[in-house]
Amino acid sequence: MKYLLFLKINRYYLLLDDNLVGAESLKAEVPQAKFFHEEAFEGLENGKLIQWEILKDILDGRVELEHNQYLVCKRSSFFVFSPLRKGLLFARSIPRARKKDWILKKAEEFGETRIAKFEMKRQNALSQRLMGIREDMEDCLEALSDFVLCERYSLWVYNKHTDFFSCMASSKAPKKTYIEQKDEKTFYEFMDSGMEYESRAPAKTISITKGMAWLNRLRLDFGGDDTIGIVSFYSKHPNFELAPKARRYIKNFLELKYIERREESQLALHNIIKDMASYEVGKHDVFLNKLVCSICRELCFEACSIFLKDLEGKHLILTATCDKNHDGPPTEEVIYKLKENSFTGTVFNTGRVLFSHALPTDPRNKHIYDESTEHKPQNWIGIPLVSDNKKWGVLQVKNKYRDTDKREIKNFRPTDFESLYAVRTHLCNILQIEEVHENYVKKNENLLLKSGDLEQKIAVLSNFYQVFMHEIRTPISTFSTSTLVIEQLFSSRTITEEKRQSINNKLDDIKVMGERLEFIANTYQFKRLIRMQEPRRLSVLRDIVLPVFNIAKTYIQKQYDVDIYYIPGTLEDQYVYGDQRLLNMVFNALINNAGKYSSRFEKPISVYGELDKKGTFFYLVVENYGFKIHEDEKEKIFENRYQGREVRGQKLGGTGIGLYLSKEIMKNHKGDLLLTSLNKPITFKIKLPRRNMDGRR
Amino acid sequence: MAKVLIIEDDVYLTEDLKFFIEDEGHTCKVYRYADEVMENLNNFGQYDFIILDIMIMRGSRIRDDNTNIETGEIFYKEIREKYRTKKIIIISAKDIEDMTIDFRKEANVEIIEKPLNEKKIKRLLTMLR
C-alpha cells in the first residue's frame, strides 16, 4: 500500500516520499515539485473520501496517483492520503465506521513514524555538520540554511565603530563586502526598528535575491556591547516563513558561535598585553618593535606601524613597522610633515580614528609610506595615540586577513577595534612613563650643567623620580606575571569553572594595576611639580578622593589586608582650589602610607572632611591605626629622606620622600599638610583653601 | 616533585608564583609575615626549596635593631644555621651589592632580581626541576 505523506513545513506541505531520507544533502533531495502551498489543502477534512481526479487537481498534477480514491487523514502537522481499493469500505464483513477508523489509525501511525525518522535524520545531519565545524561561519550558515530548506543565506555584522555592515558569510559573494547606510537602507531600518524577525518578499533584485521569492531576516545580538548581526535566509517559495522553533535555534546557535569567536580575539589581546608586559623603562624602541609584530600576528593584519611625533610636534616619524619585509625596526627614515595631506597625518591632526574598507578606490588614501603586504592594499585603520589630551602619534594597521588554508583579506570586525583601543590605552600609558623618564634624564643632564640655583630643582626631580619608580614597580611586575598566569590557564585543553574563576581574578588584578598605572602616569607629572597649574575649583569628593579611592581601595585591601572607607556626609558638596593632579598625588601618598603602615593592625583607615572655624580652609583627614610616630619626630617626619623610627625598625621599605614632597606641594597650594595625632589614630590633615588665594576665581 | 616554601609579602606576586609552582606539580607553602617565619623555622627541613624575598617587614619576633640588615638576610642566617645545604632562591628588589651578605658567594643560593618577568619565572621553574 502506498501512502502519500505531506509534512507541514512553514506554510508549505512537503511530500515525504521514499526518496527523501533527510541526510546531509537534504536540500538537493527536495526539488521544488515536492512543495505545496497550504492553501491547496484547505477544505480537506479528516476522514473524507477523495477521488483521484480531485486529488490530482489539488496536487497540481505533480504527483503520480496510482489509486482511484484516497482517505484523508488530517493532523495538525501533516496529511496522509491512504489509497483505497474500490468498494473496500462497503465490504459487509466489517462495519463501515470501524473500518474507516482503523485505516485512519494506520495512516496516522505511518505518518508519525516516518516523520520522526525524517526529523531525526535531519537533526543528526545538522548536528554532525555543525560539530565538525570549528572556524568557519560560512559552513555553519550553509548547514543551517539547508536545515530550514532555504536556498541562500547571508550574515552581515554591524560594526558600531565604523557604522558599516560587514559581510561575514554569504552563499553568493556580494560585489561589496561592506555596506553603508547610503548603499542599502533595509539593514539599517531593520536594525533600528528593534524587530527580531522579518519575513517578506525581497525588496529588489540583486545577485543573491535573483530567483528568490521570499526573505527571512533574523536579528542577532552578540554579547553585551551592542554588536548586532543580521542573518538572512532566502527561499524560492513565496511566504516561506521560518517556524519560531527554528528561528530560536538559529539565533541561539549563531550568537553563541560569535561569542566563541570573540573569546578567541580576547585571547589574542591577552597575548599582545603579555608581550607588552616585557616593557622596561627607557627602552621603548625595543618595546614598540615587538609590539607591532605581535599586533600583526595576534590580530591578523598584514602590516602594522607606529608613528610618533617629534619633539617640536611638527613631524610624524616612523618608529616601528611590521610587514612583509620588516619585523620591527624601520630600514629607512620616514617622516611625515603634519601640514601635508595624508591619511596618517589626518588621524594625528584630527585625533579621530579613520578607516577604509577599500583603499584602492578611497579618494582619501594618500600615503607617503606604504607597507609592503602580501595582498594588494585593501583595508586600513589608523588610530590616534591620544591620552589625557596629549597626542603621541598614530598606530595603523593594514589588510585584515583570515588564516584558513589560503590567506584571504577580510573586513575588520568590531573586536578588532576593541582590541586596538585596549592596546592603545596600554601603549599611551607606557609612552607617558617613557616621556617622564626621558624628561628626567634630560632635565637632570641640563640641570647638572648649570649649577647653583637649580640644585633645589634637581633634588626635587630626583626625589620625584624615585617616588615614581617606586609606584610603578608593582603594577609592572603584576602585568608581567598575571598575564603569564592567564596564558597558562588558557593553554590547557579544558577550561574548568575553577580555572575560569582564576582567569577572572587575574583579569581583575590586571585591571586594578592598569588603573593604577594610568593614574600614576596621569598624575605624576614633572612639569606640574615645577610649575603649578593655575588653581581650579575642585570637588573634594569627585576630584580628589574618588580618583584615589578607585585605584587604591582594592589594592590596599588585597595587599595590606586593611579596609578603607570615607565617612559619608563630611566630603560631599565641598569645594576647594588647587591643582587636581598634585592633590591626587598628595592624597594617594597618605592613603598608601596608611595602608602600608597599618597592615595587620585590623583597624580600617578612615577618611573624612572638616572645616576650620572661619570656614576659610577645608581639612581632608586620613586616619590610621598603624605604627606610632614618636613625639620628637613630629617635625622630622616631613624632612626629606626621613622615615619614622618604628617604620624604619620594621624595615617597611619606602623612600622617605612621600611626606616631604606632599608637604612641599601643599605649601605651594597656600595650604598645608599637618600631623595632628601621633598614635591611635595617626592623623594627617590636608589643609585646602576654599577660596582662590591667587585672587582669581 | 619538590616541596617549596615561599617567603614573600607581596600578595599579587605570591599568588602568581604559587600558581606557576603548583602548575608544575610541586607543592607550595607561603609565609607572608616575619612572625610566621620565625615561629615555624624548626619545620623548614621538609622543604626542598625556599624562595626568599629580602625586603620584608620585621614583625614582633625579631630583636635586631640594626636597620642596615634586611629582614630576609636575618631569615637567611637563621635558616643556614639550621639547614646548611638547603637550596635557597633569593628574590630581591634591592641591589644585591647593597646587602650585608654577599649572596653571590654563598653556596646553594640562586639570585633572581625583581621585577619578575617571563624569562625569570621560567628560570626559577627550571631551578625547581
Side-chain angles (χ1 to χ4, degrees):
Chain A
M1 175 142 67
K2 201 160 179 196
Y3 290 108
L4 292 175
L5 168 62
F6 291 86
L7 169 64
K8 189 163 189 200
I9 288 180
N10 307 331
R11 297 180 65 182
Y12 284 79
Y13 282 98
L14 169 67
L15 174 64
L16 280 193
D17 56 19
D18 295 340
N19 299 329
L20 227 165
V21 288
E24 189 165 323
S25 58
L26 178 64
K27 203 166 62 181
E29 293 171 15
V30 186
Q32 199 168 357
K34 289 184 180 180
F35 275 95
F36 298 87
H37 198 272
E38 62 179 0
E39 280 171 8
F41 288 36
E42 255 170 32
L44 282 178
E45 291 304 323
N46 188 39
K48 198 180 166 188
L49 209 60
I50 184 169
Q51 299 303 318
W52 77 275
E53 297 95 334
I54 299 169
L55 189 57
K56 196 182 146 200
D57 274 355
I58 290 174
L59 298 178
D60 207 15
R62 282 185 268 156
V63 183
E64 203 179 312
L65 301 173
E66 291 171 0
H67 298 270
N68 287 333
Q69 52 183 3
Y70 291 83
L71 186 65
V72 180
C73 171
K74 180 185 173 188
R75 294 293 176 263
S76 62
S77 63
F78 63 88
F79 270 99
V80 183
F81 299 100
S82 318
L84 288 182
R85 266 180 292 123
K86 209 170 187 180
L88 178 77
L89 286 181
F90 305 100
R92 284 205 193 125
S93 52
I94 313 159
R96 190 177 164 173
R98 255 185 70 195
K99 184 85 185 171
K100 201 165 136 184
D101 284 348
W102 183 81
I103 294 171
L104 285 175
K105 198 167 154 259
K106 283 283 164 200
E108 184 182 10
E109 276 172 13
F110 169 81
E112 278 173 354
T113 323
R114 177 76 179 85
I115 289 168
K117 251 191 216 167
F118 171 77
E119 288 292 7
M120 212 167 79
K121 281 195 172 161
R122 184 172 158 212
Q123 193 75 47
N124 276 349
L126 177 70
S127 309
Q128 266 173 17
R129 287 176 72 182
L130 291 182
M131 270 194 345
I133 298 161
R134 289 195 57 81
E135 287 289 321
D136 213 332
M137 219 44 160
E138 198 94 43
D139 296 339
C140 289
L141 274 164
E142 197 179 358
L144 289 169
S145 167
D146 285 356
F147 178 70
V148 294
L149 299 169
C150 282
E151 277 76 21
R152 289 186 195 144
Y153 58 81
S154 71
L155 171 61
W156 293 77
V157 175
Y158 178 68
N159 186 336
K160 68 176 171 190
H161 302 286
T162 61
D163 197 24
F164 279 28
F165 278 93
S166 297
C167 181
M168 271 192 90
S170 178
S171 52
K172 267 209 178 268
K175 265 191 196 151
K176 245 170 121 181
T177 54
Y178 60 94
I179 283 177
E180 42 187 329
Q181 199 144 4
K182 65 174 167 49
D183 299 335
E184 157 80 56
K185 283 206 176 59
T186 64
F187 276 178
Y188 289 86
E189 281 165 7
F190 180 59
M191 182 173 73
D192 294 340
S193 72
M195 279 200 302
E196 291 292 326
Y197 174 62
E198 173 181 55
S199 179
R200 56 172 172 81
K204 57 178 176 182
T205 315
I206 47 172
S207 70
I208 196 162
T209 58
K210 211 170 180 185
M212 296 292 118
W214 205 251
L215 157 70
N216 287 287
R217 204 163 254 182
L218 274 170
R219 174 196 170 100
L220 307 172
D221 296 286
F222 297 132
D225 67 349
D226 298 333
T227 304
I228 287 177
I230 294 181
V231 63
S232 311
F233 292 103
Y234 298 88
S235 169
K236 287 186 283 203
H237 311 293
N239 296 312
F240 196 79
E241 279 175 30
L242 300 187
K245 203 175 144 192
R247 274 158 26 200
R248 271 199 303 278
Y249 181 82
I250 292 169
K251 186 171 161 69
N252 289 343
F253 178 84
L254 290 176
E255 286 175 355
L256 217 68
K257 188 82 196 162
Y258 191 86
I259 289 169
E260 247 175 53
R261 290 178 61 145
R262 170 169 307 186
E263 272 181 17
E264 283 164 24
S265 69
Q266 271 171 359
L267 192 58
L269 178 61
H270 286 314
N271 287 339
I272 297 175
I273 291 177
K274 192 206 83 194
D275 281 351
M276 293 181 93
S278 66
Y279 161 70
E280 281 177 50
V281 180
K283 292 183 183 167
H284 76 284
D285 289 355
V286 184
F287 168 77
L288 294 178
N289 289 334
K290 207 168 154 187
L291 179 64
V292 285
C293 296
S294 76
I295 289 175
C296 279
R297 188 182 62 239
E298 297 295 339
L299 299 181
C300 297
F301 285 102
E302 289 197 335
C304 172
S305 300
I306 292 174
F307 292 85
L308 295 182
K309 67 155 198 228
D310 63 356
L311 288 172
E312 294 96 45
K314 286 182 185 161
H315 302 94
L316 279 179
I317 297 166
L318 179 65
T319 315
T321 183
C322 176
D323 63 12
K324 213 169 126 193
N325 305 324
H326 296 83
D327 56 357
T331 44
E332 53 178 319
E333 197 174 67
V334 180
I335 296 175
Y336 278 83
K337 271 189 202 150
L338 283 181
K339 279 184 185 162
E340 275 166 25
N341 191 15
S342 74
F343 234 167
T344 314
T346 313
V347 172
F348 183 82
N349 289 333
T350 59
R352 281 168 53 200
V353 177
L354 280 184
F355 57 87
S356 176
H357 281 283
L359 281 175
T361 56
D362 198 320
R364 301 167 303 168
N365 179 18
K366 288 196 186 79
H367 288 281
I368 297 171
Y369 178 70
D370 228 347
E371 296 100 337
S372 50
T373 45
E374 220 161 279
H375 293 80
K376 272 188 261 168
Q378 184 61 40
N379 51 41
W380 184 89
I381 308 176
I383 292 186
L385 299 173
V386 189
S387 66
D388 198 29
N389 292 326
K390 191 159 175 116
K391 290 176 178 178
W392 305 97
V394 174
L395 166 73
Q396 62 186 44
V397 288
K398 194 157 84 179
N399 278 10
K400 167 84 185 173
Y401 65 84
R402 186 172 63 170
D403 229 350
T404 43
D405 306 339
K406 201 175 101 230
R407 184 186 278 195
E408 294 175 84
I409 300 300
K410 283 298 237 185
N411 281 328
F412 17 80
R413 300 187 218 147
T415 49
D416 291 323
F417 283 87
E418 280 140 28
S419 300
L420 288 171
Y421 290 159
V423 169
R424 175 196 29 206
T425 307
H426 285 272
L427 180 56
C428 287
N429 281 343
I430 284 171
L431 290 171
Q432 228 151 8
I433 294 173
E434 201 61 25
E435 189 191 56
V436 173
H437 175 82
E438 271 174 22
N439 279 350
Y440 167 70
V441 173
K442 207 162 30 188
K443 277 194 179 132
N444 229 355
E445 281 169 1
N446 286 343
L447 292 175
L448 283 170
L449 292 174
K450 309 167 193 170
S451 55
D453 62 326
L454 290 173
E455 252 171 45
Q456 174 92 26
K457 276 184 182 170
I458 297 174
V460 172
L461 286 176
S462 137
N463 282 339
F464 181 73
Y465 187 61
Q466 283 208 19
V467 171
F468 174 77
M469 292 308 282
H470 191 78
E471 288 285 338
I472 64 171
R473 195 190 296 144
T474 308
I476 285 186
S477 147
T478 306
F479 266 138
S480 120
T481 56
S482 294
T483 41
L484 272 182
V485 170
I486 292 174
E487 189 193 30
Q488 189 97 347
L489 285 164
F490 265 122
S491 68
S492 53
R493 298 195 106 233
T494 50
I495 296 181
T496 57
E497 193 43 45
E498 194 189 349
K499 280 186 183 164
R500 195 172 285 276
Q501 193 55 45
S502 308
I503 291 172
N504 281 336
N505 292 344
K506 283 293 120 188
L507 285 176
D508 284 346
D509 283 355
I510 291 175
K511 197 171 149 248
V512 167
M513 291 304 171
E515 282 163 1
R516 254 187 113 69
L517 211 51
E518 202 173 342
F519 172 83
I520 295 161
N522 283 334
T523 310
Y524 289 64
Q525 298 179 13
F526 280 123
K527 57 175 190 277
R528 301 275 182 132
L529 208 60
I530 293 165
R531 182 183 292 166
M532 206 180 109
Q533 297 249 326
E534 195 177 301
R536 271 183 43 220
R537 187 171 184 259
L538 302 170
S539 148
V540 172
L541 191 60
R542 188 194 61 214
D543 298 325
I544 306 175
V545 174
L546 289 183
V548 175
F549 258 59
N550 286 343
I551 59 128
K553 200 172 157 70
T554 323
Y555 175 75
I556 284 178
Q557 278 168 343
K558 183 164 173 175
Q559 185 73 293
Y560 303 124
D561 216 357
V562 185
D563 227 340
I564 170 168
Y565 69 96
Y566 68 83
I567 299 173
T570 63
L571 301 168
E572 290 88 343
D573 297 325
Q574 293 294 341
Y575 295 88
V576 294
Y577 281 82
D579 179 330
Q580 189 192 350
R581 304 288 188 212
L582 292 177
L583 293 177
N584 283 157
M585 208 192 290
V586 171
F587 185 56
N588 184 45
L590 291 185
I591 294 291
N592 276 318
N593 278 355
K596 193 166 185 180
Y597 302 147
S598 59
S599 173
R600 299 199 89 192
F601 278 88
E602 284 171 9
K603 273 207 163 184
I605 301 161
S606 62
V607 173
Y608 58 89
E610 57 190 29
L611 292 177
D612 73 341
K613 275 183 196 152
K614 287 186 196 160
T616 350
F617 291 98
F618 178 83
Y619 292 101
L620 177 57
V621 188
V622 178
E623 279 186 0
N624 76 77
Y625 288 81
F627 295 105
K628 68 176 176 192
I629 296 167
H630 294 276
E631 186 64 40
D632 60 311
E633 294 180 311
K634 234 176 138 176
E635 304 293 328
K636 278 191 200 157
I637 206 93
F638 293 109
E639 282 173 17
N640 195 10
R641 310 269 164 177
Y642 186 85
Q643 277 196 296
R645 279 210 292 283
E646 294 296 322
V647 167
R648 223 174 335 144
Q650 282 296 331
K651 293 296 295 177
L652 270 166
T655 55
I657 301 170
L659 283 178
Y660 163 73
L661 211 57
S662 298
K663 180 105 176 172
E664 292 292 308
I665 290 172
M666 290 322 298
K667 279 188 199 157
N668 283 339
H669 264 84
K670 310 257 166 28
D672 206 350
L673 178 61
L674 308 167
L675 171 63
T676 58
S677 167
L678 301 177
N679 196 16
K680 290 182 185 171
I682 294 108
T683 309
F684 282 96
K685 292 187 178 177
I686 306 175
K687 184 180 174 187
L688 293 155
R690 295 181 71 214
R691 273 189 229 118
N692 192 348
M693 298 294 193
D694 287 355
R696 293 182 291 242
R697 284 204 73 96
Chain B
M1 289 296 105
K3 276 185 97 171
V4 182
L5 172 67
I6 302 178
I7 302 172
E8 161 69 76
D9 60 354
D10 183 334
V11 185
Y12 289 90
L13 183 58
T14 44
E15 255 185 31
D16 293 347
L17 272 184
K18 190 168 187 287
F19 169 83
F20 288 118
I21 292 170
E22 288 180 343
D23 202 50
E24 292 265 307
H26 310 298
T27 55
C28 187
K29 170 91 192 155
V30 176
Y31 289 134
R32 279 180 59 198
Y33 302 109
D35 290 359
E36 294 176 316
V37 176
M38 297 307 282
E39 272 164 37
N40 293 294
L41 263 179
N42 289 329
N43 305 322
F44 283 10
Q46 59 179 308
Y47 301 110
D48 302 304
F49 293 93
I50 297 175
I51 297 174
L52 176 60
D53 177 28
I54 289 299
M55 288 156 90
I56 286 186
M57 182 174 146
R58 278 283 201 276
S60 57
R61 287 171 160 261
I62 299 175
R63 293 270 164 255
D64 189 335
D65 288 338
N66 179 3
T67 52
N68 289 327
I69 184 162
E70 296 291 342
T71 313
E73 295 180 277
I74 298 174
F75 293 156
Y76 179 81
K77 284 186 190 162
E78 296 276 346
I79 297 167
R80 267 291 167 263
E81 223 168 76
K82 291 194 168 62
Y83 314 100
R84 296 183 54 193
T85 56
K86 181 75 64 199
K87 292 195 177 66
I88 297 177
I89 301 167
I90 305 281
I91 45 176
S92 173
K94 191 171 174 174
D95 267 346
I96 213 83
E97 289 119 55
D98 295 344
M99 289 188 241
T100 50
I101 302 172
D102 189 350
F103 285 108
R104 290 167 300 189
K105 289 181 182 160
E106 293 288 304
N108 294 314
V109 167
E110 297 281 350
I111 303 158
I112 296 179
E113 277 172 28
K114 281 187 185 176
L116 298 193
N117 56 25
E118 183 167 6
K119 234 176 164 174
K120 292 177 189 173
I121 286 173
K122 284 195 174 139
R123 216 184 104 212
L124 185 135
L125 293 175
T126 324
M127 291 174 196
L128 303 181
R129 271 172 210 149

